[in-house]
Amino acid sequence: MPRQGVSPGQGRPRSGREQGPDRSLWAPSPRLLWVSLAMALALSDSLVLWVPAGAHPLPAKGYPAKSSRIAPQLREAFGWWNLTCPACKALFTAIDFGLRKEPSVAWVGSVAIKLCKLLKIAPPAVCQSAVQLFEDDMVEVWTRSVLSPSEACGLLLGSSCGHWDIFSSWNISLPTVPKPSPQPPKPPAPGSPVSRILFLTDLHWDHDYLEGTDPDCENPLCCRRDSGLPPASRSGAGYWGEYSKCDLPLRTLESLLSGLGPAGPFDMVYWTGDIPAHNVWHQSRQDQLRALTTVTALVKKFLGPVPVYPAVGNHESTPVNGFPPPFIEGNQSSRWLYEAMAKAWEPWLPAEALHTLRYLRPIETQEGRRQVHIIGHIPPGHCLKSWSWNYYRIVNRYENTLAGQFFGHTHVDEFEVFYDEETLSRPLSVAFLAPSATTYISLNPGYRVYQIDGNYSGSSHVVLDHETYILNLTQANEPGATPHWQLLYKARETYGLPNALPAAWHDLVYRMRSDMRLFQTFWFLYHKGHPPSEPCGTPCRLATLCAQLSARSDSPALCRHLVPDASTPDAQSLWPRPLFC
């Protein structure tokens, strides 16, 4: 029987306050708290892909919001229950001065390991490896940090103590030329050419995946050589993958790519990153480059001359999520990764794109006919507020130019609707969030195919429909079985959509609000045909639906029609919160 995974944070129950080392001997400085907090967020990001409360394949109790989980543990562990906002700000003002002194990386790392073990952020061996991997970068970051005491305390104690979006005053400059009147795309004439785009995301190849190992080990990632054997009462990791906190063996990715025939032919491929596995506590640059070159070679082998347009995921670097800006040079820059990507992907990308890849510079868009597709890894609704809202402004300004948006990252099957900024009522664009290839966590492997208005004079290039394909692991792992990638569903047919334009997805959300059967279909497909055993009750359902309307983070007004009063605490608790951008 398929097994549900477990949260690594649930490995050892706590009974009252842990007795840690004598605090008089090593009172933790906030600098160390920041190191532990950042490490915890990085580790938990390998575990918690953002989803609304209760919407994750694993039991929701193991996956509360990161900051709300970690900060109370910090306060409890260090007796900060009575820490007031003024005291916090005074403390961080003093520390802000102290951070300007030369830090001792070895000492910071030593205490961070103790904190990680004390707070049970991860198993001891993971704490040790993670700190050693992250400590140099973390100390370097915080010696350069522009975070103010108010922002630091806002992060630790909540928004009532301070605002911690340090880019909140940042606004992009848009053209002063008035925005043209909206020109919604027209459905193509019958018989018009249709393009098929293969969409691959979140492959997460695990070099150390090993059949028969424990899929429910204590580490953040299991089904690996270091996971040990499972108890006699349950089976080990399957040959093709496992319904647990496991990534994929290379043979499953080979099976996916070699079995694409029935879903093709394809005019192009969008590939939005996250190639390495989730063992983020123990990754080297060599590991990341091996994943990049190995999987890129597979894509080239099986897709041949089909054009491929790749994007960078947050797991490509090490430490995970570590993408220093271009002015950071030397060993701590990301040049090692960008240069390797440019070399590996050179056959697919024009010179201009290779240049922007090397420096991660955006390509400017100008007013014109509807011709632009945006591909990326992390969806806009999952970014910090300032980034998300500025992106929203760009989409609004260029709604007549933008034909489609395509993202991954969440591992599940969903979308984000964009509205006009004036009234937040007119749907003007939709970002499609495609399901992952990886099983992480407790999902079937999958991929997406988009049908696009084809290449001809006057084409809108908008999405006409999409199809999702999966590998049913229960069937594939049966003795003597061979993997069979099958069509899971077609969007318009399954949801009864008149088309795949933004208004149709907006209407679908509100139909699902009252039609429980329709929502249950969405819930099943959201999890690629392997939903959690726990039912999705009303709070879970409203939060999930709210997420589909939330292409702009921290904007409760977008969900105001889903609940009677969007300003109430209950309604606010349903609001999806971002992790990072």
Side-chain angles (χ1 to χ4, degrees), residues 52-71:
H56 200 275
L58 294 187
K61 65 181 181 180
Y63 290 86
K66 292 183 187 178
S67 59
S68 63
R69 177 181 68 178
I70 299 299

Side-chain angles (χ1 to χ4, degrees), residues 472-542:
N472 186 311
L473 281 182
T474 302
Q475 297 173 359
N477 284 331
E478 288 290 330
T482 56
H484 173 62
W485 295 83
Q486 56 191 276
L487 174 66
L488 180 63
Y489 79 104
K490 296 181 179 180
R492 289 184 58 187
E493 176 183 78
T494 300
Y495 294 130
L497 304 176
N499 51 54
L501 298 178
W505 296 100
H506 165 90
D507 292 342
L508 173 62
V509 171
Y510 285 94
R511 284 194 288 134
M512 290 192 290
R513 181 182 59 175
S514 55
D515 188 337
M516 285 301 301
R517 185 172 182 178
L518 180 61
F519 176 78
Q520 290 303 326
T521 297
F522 176 81
W523 186 245
F524 177 81
L525 300 174
Y526 178 95
H527 295 96
K528 292 185 287 181
H530 191 257
S533 57
E534 298 79 9
C536 183
T538 299
C540 164
R541 178 168 56 91
L542 292 177

